[in-house]
Amino acid sequence: MGSVQIVTTILAAAITAVAVWLAVRAVLKMVAVVRLGQPAPERFSDKVTRTRTMLVETAGHTRMLKWGVVGAAHWFVMVGFVVLSLLVLEAYFEVVTTDGGLPIIGHWTIFGLVTEIIGVLGLVGILVLMAIRLRNRPTRPGGRSRFTGSTMWQGYFVEWIVLLVLIFGFVIRGFKVATDHFEFPFWATPVSHAVGAVLPDWADGVSVAAVIKIIISMTWLIVISLNVTMGVAWHRFLAFPNIFFKREPAKPAGSGLGALRPMTSQGKPLDFEEADPEKDQFGVAHVEQFSWKGLLDFSTCTECGRCQSQCPAWNTGKPLSPKLLVLSLRDHAYAKAPYLLAGGGKDLTGEEKATQAQLAHLDVLALAEADKPLIGTAEEGGVIDPDVLWSCTTCGACVEQCPVDIEHVDHIVDMRRYQVLIESSFPSEAGVMLRNLENKGNPWGAPQNTREDWTKGLDFEVPRVGEVDDFEYLFWVGCAGAFEDRAKKTTRAVATLLNEAGVKFAILGEGETCSGDPARRIGNEFVFQMLAQQNVETLNEAFEGREKAKRKIVATCPHCFNTLGNEYGQLGGEFEVVHHTQLLAHLVATGKLTPVQPVDGGVTYHDPCYLGRHNRIFAAPREVLGDAIAGDLTEMPRNSERSFCCGAGGARMWMEEKIGKRINVDRVEEAMATGAKTVAVGCPFCSTMLNDGVNGKGAGEQVEVIDVASVLLRSVKPEQPQGGKESASIGG
């Protein structure tokens, strides 16, 4: 060992010791912060499925590859980070001696070949990612960037570190080639040999390059250890547990889609008949009241901005960005952590739990952070502004796009629950809707005895449950389908098609009440459970004696479809629920319905969020339209899982849109740009919102918004009178 090797060995050992010590301290801090969250015992179920899903999503990059170029580049960088860590380890042998290498595998030609290929592809990948970040920098002209609000220096720092580590990997090999200490043939390592051809025959070059590589790597570790909220770096480690502990690992898409998590207190579902606000947690009022998985979510955020780029609120000038919301909660949690770890915190009555002695040594900044309200305006010092909280449509675009399975919608609704149930703080216009749900059983406050008025004028009898026992499907009409004039057309069209196909169905009529979706998504879990329990009891009675496979429900509203099929199971209601487009597609495919006259004029289809993204039903409505129209369906640029929200979800249907551009107008402009004369929908909320948008654009005479069922009916029974365009009035 020469003098150069002695120096390089000491430098490598010293910086590594510091880096490892800081890293251990950082990990312990992160674990301590995550453990501050509430219990979530359900996250430990089905470990086999969780492990398989985690490996598929990480190794296969299944979610990242939805963005092809970015996903492929990131995959090469990820593989390079994992596999080429062996070359960082090898550098510790190379600082000691110029011909050093990894024991056993370090001299295998296959090892040299694989690491060469990965090194080259990693270099290409990181250069592509750097170019993408620069092209989409927030300061660029031309609009908002998905990186707006991200900590840009951290992204640049990580990318340069990766680039330099890869470069010095080839420099080390080049010096080995130049000094004739390289063990791999040219055919296996052509790039290394090319680098060696231009480097001098410097005996100590290997050790010097190796220590520089170690210093670069350990500098990265030191910087991220001193910045525990540096998600752009820490996600390399946290993504694995965050994906493993996702809510529903068997789901093909984001596990935070579909059903909402039930309200819990101390990790157990809340029973409203026994719940006590002074003893039980109602929603989330403080950051430590999120589950530990929520705190892990916040820590894992990569700041990539995919969620932000797809969010309908962000894209129409609202203050909500799912990314910035998560980052605000993350920064707040870590800033407040010293206070919480010292024993601080408020009990459910608002009393401080810590003694003065426990808090005496705390930094004033941690105490100040502890005093911030979780929800509050800038003047109030709030972490999350109320306008941010109430801008969410719960469309799930953020959850769909997140590469590390953060469950944004669950966290937003948990905060809403506390605001609604305890603070009674929510947009005033939504109060009318909630009172109508409590008093009338529907959000519009229409008389219950008019629920069957849509059946008037049909040329066949619509059977009711109780009057007939021999029915295959219970037709869940829904509040919109019973009371809103446009939606009643869809209800009549579906009933007519089912009758035409010979399907035996029955309705609940006045026995049906609101599914509870708007109450639950605005945060009023109490009203949701009141309505849902009533419906579950009614439905269980209607299906008494039937096994689950024969407890079939068909629904025209995706919100009802989602609630009945995905959430009523939480309350003892197990049913097989299908959307009307699924049933109609089946009836056409089996020849029970036959389109005879194609509908022309050009048709585009708008995917409802709760049908498509939340429940992965993309094909059925397109199959129905494909059979019913002349020519091909014209797709909007944003379709299927990337469909743009109509603006009505998350109970936004009953709240005024006062900030930025109206979401429905944005979507209507996209639909009109296709040139289609008909915009087909599969949801009564979407129908209302898009109709309003078309009329607002003054295009009501040129563009028609109509349900898929009505399009099919025009093709199956072209003589069927369709009626003129109606207003959105409520009632019979």
Side-chain angles (χ1 to χ4, degrees):
M1 180 185 292
S3 59
V4 171
Q5 284 69 41
I6 293 172
V7 173
T8 56
T9 301
I10 292 172
L11 285 174
I15 195 169
T16 301
V18 172
V20 170
W21 177 74
L22 289 173
V24 170
R25 190 182 69 167
V27 169
L28 292 175
K29 180 177 181 179
M30 295 175 78
V31 170
V33 171
V34 170
R35 286 170 60 89
L36 289 169
Q38 300 302 303
E42 72 281 2
R43 303 286 181 168
F44 294 91
S45 64
D46 198 0
K47 293 182 177 62
V48 173
T49 300
R50 291 182 180 280
T51 302
R52 181 171 60 248
T53 299
M54 183 264 291
L55 292 174
V56 168
E57 283 195 23
T58 52
H61 255 42
T62 52
R63 297 174 69 78
M64 284 293 297
L65 286 171
K66 291 178 181 179
W67 291 28
V69 174
V70 180
H74 191 277
W75 187 85
F76 288 127
V77 172
M78 181 203 71
V79 172
F81 179 83
V82 174
V83 175
L84 299 185
S85 295
L86 291 173
L87 295 187
V88 176
L89 178 60
E90 186 175 51
Y92 285 93
F93 294 91
E94 291 163 339
V95 297
V96 177
T97 175
T98 56
D99 60 353
L102 279 178
I104 305 175
I105 66 171
H107 300 283
W108 294 355
T109 300
I110 187 65
F111 175 74
L113 173 64
V114 169
T115 50
E116 185 89 353
I117 293 172
I118 292 174
V120 171
L121 294 177
L123 273 171
V124 173
I126 196 61
L127 289 171
V128 169
L129 294 181
M130 292 172 81
I132 289 172
R133 186 178 294 272
L134 286 170
R135 190 183 65 198
N136 291 280
R137 64 193 184 280
T139 55
R140 86 199 196 290
R144 287 179 164 184
S145 161
R146 67 185 176 98
F147 292 117
T148 299
S150 297
T151 314
M152 294 301 288
W153 77 262
Q154 295 180 351
Y156 293 135
F157 171 78
V158 168
E159 287 167 349
W160 273 102
I161 288 290
V162 173
L163 179 63
L164 290 173
V165 166
L166 289 168
I167 288 173
F168 272 90
F170 284 110
V171 171
I172 293 170
R173 286 186 163 189
F175 273 120
K176 284 188 173 182
V177 171
T179 56
D180 201 25
H181 288 128
F182 199 46
E183 54 269 79
F184 305 123
F186 178 86
W187 68 264
T189 54
V191 176
S192 297
H193 278 270
V195 173
V198 299
L199 289 178
D201 182 4
W202 181 26
D204 295 324
V206 172
S207 296
V208 172
V211 78
I212 293 173
K213 182 176 181 177
I214 290 170
I215 289 171
I216 292 170
S217 301
M218 292 304 107
T219 298
W220 174 79
L221 188 56
I222 289 169
V223 170
I224 73 168
S225 297
L226 295 174
N227 293 272
V228 290
T229 59
M230 194 171 173
V232 70
W234 281 107
H235 82 273
R236 284 165 169 74
F237 311 107
L238 298 180
F240 296 98
N242 207 56
I243 295 170
F244 180 87
F245 289 115
K246 66 195 295 187
R247 176 148 59 91
E248 295 179 73
K251 272 197 170 185
S255 75
L257 296 173
L260 281 174
R261 287 181 64 249
M263 273 183 66
T264 59
S265 180
Q266 293 299 311
K268 298 177 181 177
L270 202 60
D271 183 348
F272 276 93
E273 293 183 1
E274 300 179 0
D276 181 352
E278 294 189 358
K279 298 179 181 178
D280 295 302
Q281 179 180 316
F282 279 53
V284 170
H286 306 286
V287 72
E288 65 271 20
Q289 291 180 338
F290 286 106
S291 72
W292 61 261
K293 175 57 169 64
L295 295 177
L296 181 59
D297 270 0
F298 308 152
S299 303
T300 308
C301 179
T302 72
E303 303 189 25
C304 67
R306 289 188 178 209
C307 58
Q308 182 171 286
S309 72
Q310 304 295 304
C311 176
W314 177 259
N315 277 287
T316 53
K318 314 293 189 292
L320 168 64
S321 156
K323 177 187 72 177
L324 297 181
L325 179 139
V326 166
L327 297 186
S328 295
L329 292 171
R330 177 198 68 189
D331 293 345
H332 173 60
Y334 280 86
K336 188 179 180 180
Y339 160 78
L340 296 170
L341 293 170
K346 302 289 195 298
D347 63 22
L348 294 172
T349 65
E351 295 296 320
E352 175 60 58
K353 293 187 289 188
T355 64
Q356 287 294 326
Q358 287 176 297
L359 303 180
H361 69 285
L362 286 181
D363 184 274
V364 66
L365 294 178
L367 292 173
E369 197 73 29
D371 287 335
K372 286 185 178 180
L374 190 64
I375 307 297
T377 63
E379 293 75 18
E380 296 166 335
V383 178
I384 304 297
D385 191 278
D387 285 335
V388 170
L389 186 68
W390 297 110
S391 291
C392 180
T393 67
T394 68
C395 71
C398 50
V399 178
E400 167 75 35
Q401 289 297 323
C402 182
V404 292
D405 281 303
I406 293 172
E407 296 159 7
H408 312 72
V409 174
D410 282 344
H411 305 320
I412 288 171
V413 173
D414 273 341
M415 289 186 285
R416 284 183 172 188
R417 284 165 168 167
Y418 180 82
Q419 294 300 305
V420 172
L421 294 172
I422 303 299
E423 297 292 336
S424 295
S425 177
F426 50 88
S428 57
E429 60 269 23
V432 177
M433 178 268 291
L434 290 172
R435 286 193 295 274
N436 286 335
L437 287 177
E438 288 190 74
N439 300 327
K440 298 290 188 178
N442 68 85
W444 289 285
Q448 185 72 357
N449 61 10
T450 62
R451 269 197 181 268
E452 298 179 38
D453 284 3
W454 64 270
T455 64
K456 294 176 181 178
L458 291 174
D459 57 6
F460 58 92
E461 189 71 22
V462 177
R464 282 105 183 132
V465 172
E467 297 176 4
V468 293
D469 294 324
D470 185 22
F471 62 90
E472 183 180 4
Y473 287 95
L474 188 152
F475 181 14
W476 182 272
V477 176
C479 299
F483 301 122
E484 200 268 337
D485 282 343
R486 294 190 190 101
K488 283 196 285 187
K489 287 184 178 182
T490 302
T491 307
R492 291 165 65 88
V494 171
T496 301
L497 289 166
L498 294 182
N499 182 69
E500 181 76 11
V503 176
K504 294 180 179 180
F505 70 97
I507 62 172
L508 289 172
E510 294 183 27
E512 181 182 304
T513 190
C514 180
S515 67
D517 165 86
R520 185 168 230 198
R521 275 151 185 82
I522 201 174
N524 197 325
E525 186 75 4
F526 176 79
V527 170
F528 164 73
Q529 291 208 17
M530 177 185 73
L531 295 168
Q533 286 171 350
Q534 179 181 335
N535 282 327
V536 167
E537 185 177 337
T538 300
L539 290 168
N540 282 339
E541 184 177 341
F543 288 121
E544 188 173 4
R546 298 193 189 191
E547 60 189 57
K548 180 181 177 180
K550 295 183 179 180
R551 296 156 68 92
K552 297 180 181 178
I553 299 173
V554 58
T556 57
C557 175
H559 297 264
C560 295
F561 163 77
N562 179 70
T563 303
L564 270 64
N566 294 330
E567 298 184 340
Y568 275 17
Q570 298 170 2
L571 300 170
E574 297 290 340
F575 313 109
E576 289 291 331
V577 187
V578 298
H579 189 251
H580 70 285
T581 58
Q582 292 177 290
L583 181 54
L584 295 179
H586 171 72
L587 295 175
V588 172
T590 55
K592 293 181 180 179
L593 288 174
T594 306
V596 295
Q597 180 174 311
V599 176
D600 56 17
V603 178
T604 190
Y605 174 64
H606 163 79
D607 287 274
C609 300
Y610 273 84
L611 183 65
R613 191 155 39 238
H614 278 277
N615 286 284
R616 322 309 294 172
I617 298 173
F618 304 118
R622 288 174 169 79
E623 290 169 2
V624 173
L625 292 171
D627 290 321
I629 66 176
D632 296 329
L633 184 70
T634 304
E635 292 283 8
M636 286 182 260
R638 294 177 291 192
N639 65 76
S640 301
E641 68 270 9
R642 291 198 193 181
S643 179
F644 196 69
C645 183
C646 74
R652 289 293 322 174
M653 181 86 166
W654 291 273
M655 297 182 230
E656 288 297 321
E657 197 170 345
K658 301 173 183 177
I659 305 173
K661 184 179 182 180
R662 294 182 68 87
I663 294 173
N664 61 331
V665 171
D666 191 294
R667 185 56 165 170
V668 161
E669 289 174 351
E670 184 175 4
M672 292 174 61
T674 65
K677 300 303 180 184
T678 300
V679 180
V681 298
C683 171
F685 289 4
C686 296
S687 176
T688 296
M689 299 298 285
L690 297 187
N691 262 300
D692 288 350
V694 167
N695 292 332
K697 298 290 291 183
E701 296 302 318
Q702 293 80 43
V703 178
E704 182 181 20
V705 180
I706 187 174
D707 191 88
V708 170
S710 295
V711 176
L712 180 62
L713 182 60
R714 290 179 182 181
S715 181
V716 171
K717 301 184 72 174
E719 77 286 354
Q720 183 78 14
Q722 298 302 317
K725 288 181 171 61
E726 299 180 31
S727 65
S729 61
I730 303 302

